Amino acid sequence: MSSAAGPDPSEAPEERRFLRSLQPQLPDMGRAELSSNATTSLETEAWGSVPSHSVPSTAEAAALERELLEDYRFGRQQLVELCGHASAVAVTKAFPLPALSRKQRTVLVVCGPEQNGAVGLVCARHLRVFEYEPTIFYPMRSLDLLHRDLTTQCEKMDIPFLSYLPTEVQLINEAYGLVVDAVLGPGVEPGEVGGPCTRALATLKLLSIPLVSLDIPSGWDAETGSDAEDGLRPDVLVSLAAPKRCAGRFSGRHHFVAGRFVPDDVRRKFALRLPGYTGTDCVAAL
């Protein structure tokens, strides 16, 4: 699919599924070591500083989808790349490379078979470009062509893929500096993707190293944040396009929004009154 030519109409259903996903002290690298200079902590700038009407409802997200697909001619691969790159940049802001030891640069990226997993694959590739040391756990590989292409890119860049995720959590805590959760996106229930992903989420809940969730913490309801108490408790949340309503229940240290690609007039139309982007940054701290 040529980005210059715009999305092929035959691919519109896949692109619509993607855009629906845009709805609305630790060992080694501890939570205390999350960068306080690179971003604004939620401890000092609360979620309440973002007007509630700036968070799109499900209906508003669907309308925003139509704007991007039909008026602006965004393509599915283009959006995945934009979101994955911005997610990697958010990781670099929360965990600046110069401040990390060799071991702390190791990142485990856990990917699911849906669109959030594709974003995770792109995130891992850019982390390698940024000189981090990513490893990918991708237990249910999608047959979707985009997923296969992104997997090939990671393999060609010598990013290792784990054949299994250790159930002994301490092995993960000792091997990696942080974990990226790209398992489930909005509207995807753990039961929909099968046992390997469900087991992976059960393991991620027990980690003591920092956890970064892409778009929403996997398993949370995008609207209500149900399962927030018993589900994943990430240290960093990277909202894609705009925060989802469940982000109001996020209590971690850093919340980024990766939505600079959303055109200014679309932001105004949907009242996305979020912090401005600095310089050439593709993410902003909330």
Side-chain angles (χ1 to χ4, degrees):
M1 175 173 59
S2 169
S3 60
D8 189 313
S10 66
E11 293 178 335
E14 287 293 333
E15 292 169 356
R16 288 189 170 88
R17 280 199 290 276
F18 173 75
L19 281 164
R20 274 195 288 274
S21 75
L22 299 180
Q23 296 178 44
Q25 297 185 324
L26 300 169
D28 296 313
M29 184 195 307
R31 286 175 172 81
E33 294 184 48
L34 290 167
S35 171
S36 59
N37 295 324
T39 62
T40 302
S41 170
L42 287 183
E43 293 176 346
T44 58
E45 187 163 333
W47 169 260
S49 65
V50 179
S52 60
H53 64 271
S54 72
V55 183
S57 66
T58 301
E60 290 168 336
L64 190 151
E65 166 192 328
R66 289 192 295 272
E67 292 277 336
L68 293 179
L69 275 177
E70 299 171 6
D71 294 348
Y72 284 87
R73 309 298 291 169
F74 276 85
R76 178 180 170 223
Q77 181 173 353
Q78 179 185 12
L79 288 167
V80 167
E81 186 69 26
L82 288 165
C83 290
H85 171 261
S87 296
V89 170
V91 171
T92 71
K93 289 183 175 294
F95 309 98
L97 196 64
L100 304 182
S101 68
R102 179 81 177 184
K103 184 261 180 181
Q104 291 171 335
R105 299 179 183 190
T106 57
V107 183
L108 176 61
V109 183
V110 184
C111 298
E114 304 291 338
Q115 297 294 354
N116 235 34
V119 174
L121 292 170
V122 175
C123 177
R125 171 161 48 81
H126 283 288
L127 286 173
R128 169 54 63 88
V129 171
F130 297 152
E131 300 185 357
Y132 291 74
E133 298 178 15
T135 295
I136 297 170
F137 179 57
Y138 185 21
M140 299 182 66
R141 297 198 181 193
S142 173
L143 297 179
D144 176 78
L145 180 60
L146 175 58
H147 281 251
R148 287 187 290 171
D149 288 346
L150 296 174
T151 299
T152 297
Q153 292 166 15
C154 291
E155 291 172 338
K156 291 288 188 181
M157 294 182 68
D158 296 322
I159 299 174
F161 282 74
L162 293 182
S163 58
Y164 69 96
L165 188 68
T167 55
E168 189 174 340
V169 175
Q170 192 55 31
L171 293 177
I172 301 174
N173 290 334
E174 293 173 355
Y176 301 99
L178 65 128
V179 174
V180 173
D181 156 36
V183 183
L184 305 177
V188 182
E189 299 293 332
E192 296 178 28
V193 294
C197 288
T198 301
R199 290 192 292 272
L201 292 179
T203 300
L204 296 187
K205 290 179 186 179
L206 303 176
L207 295 175
S208 60
I209 55 177
L211 179 66
V212 179
S213 285
L214 305 188
D215 209 14
I216 68 170
S218 290
W220 284 28
D221 182 279
E223 288 283 337
T224 66
S226 61
D227 292 330
E229 295 301 321
D230 298 326
L232 298 183
R233 303 294 295 273
D235 302 275
V236 179
L237 177 62
V238 185
S239 294
L240 304 180
K244 313 309 175 278
R245 291 193 167 180
C246 67
R249 301 189 66 179
F250 171 67
S251 59
R253 288 289 303 277
H254 294 290
H255 184 186
F256 297 92
V257 60
R260 192 160 195 173
F261 61 87
V262 179
D264 285 343
D265 63 337
V266 175
R267 292 184 211 168
R268 288 191 293 269
K269 181 174 181 177
F270 293 93
L272 301 181
R273 294 173 54 191
L274 300 172
Y277 294 87
T278 302
T280 57
D281 283 354
C282 57
V283 298
L286 294 176

